[in-house]
Amino acid sequence: MSLMHLSFYSTFALSSLGLAFHRTHLISALLCLESMMLSMYIALSLWPVENQATSFTLLPVLMLAFSACEAGTGLAMLVASTRTHGSDHLHNLNLLQC
């Protein structure tokens, strides 16, 4: 395993650990999700270069589009929850009380 692969795997693992353990604020969960998507984007961008495969060059652009949609939806949820509940704490968001 090269150093580049190790950095991608460790970035993704640290982001998922951050998402699992630091779930107090919605903004921190969104930042962890974005760092996971960024590490996957960089890995998918360099994968066709390593394998000399031109058929997978559109895949990072598609992933970047989905990442932008996910970020927009997450920020809309952050603004909506902050307006209705007054903060972005995740313990205030209980689906059973809606």
Side-chain angles (χ1 to χ4, degrees):
M1 179 186 310
S2 68
L3 185 62
M4 185 171 51
H5 288 111
L6 181 66
S7 66
F8 295 144
Y9 294 146
S10 63
T11 304
F12 189 81
L14 286 175
S15 300
S16 57
L17 282 175
L19 185 62
F21 292 128
H22 300 291
R23 294 185 303 176
T24 57
H25 294 279
L26 185 59
I27 191 73
S28 64
L30 290 175
L31 282 173
C32 289
L33 283 174
E34 285 302 314
S35 63
M36 289 169 68
M37 293 297 274
L38 181 65
S39 67
M40 288 172 48
Y41 171 74
I42 293 172
L44 284 176
S45 296
L46 293 177
W47 182 50
V49 174
E50 289 177 355
N51 295 333
Q52 284 99 21
T54 59
S55 61
F56 296 111
T57 55
L58 191 61
L59 193 61
V61 176
L62 185 66
M63 175 140 189
L64 193 62
F66 283 128
S67 175
C69 292
E70 179 256 336
T73 306
L75 287 177
M77 286 177 20
L78 176 71
V79 168
S81 69
T82 303
R83 284 185 180 174
T84 58
H85 297 295
S87 70
D88 68 334
H89 290 318
L90 289 177
H91 69 329
N92 290 340
L93 302 175
N94 190 359
L95 291 177
L96 299 176
Q97 292 178 353
C98 291

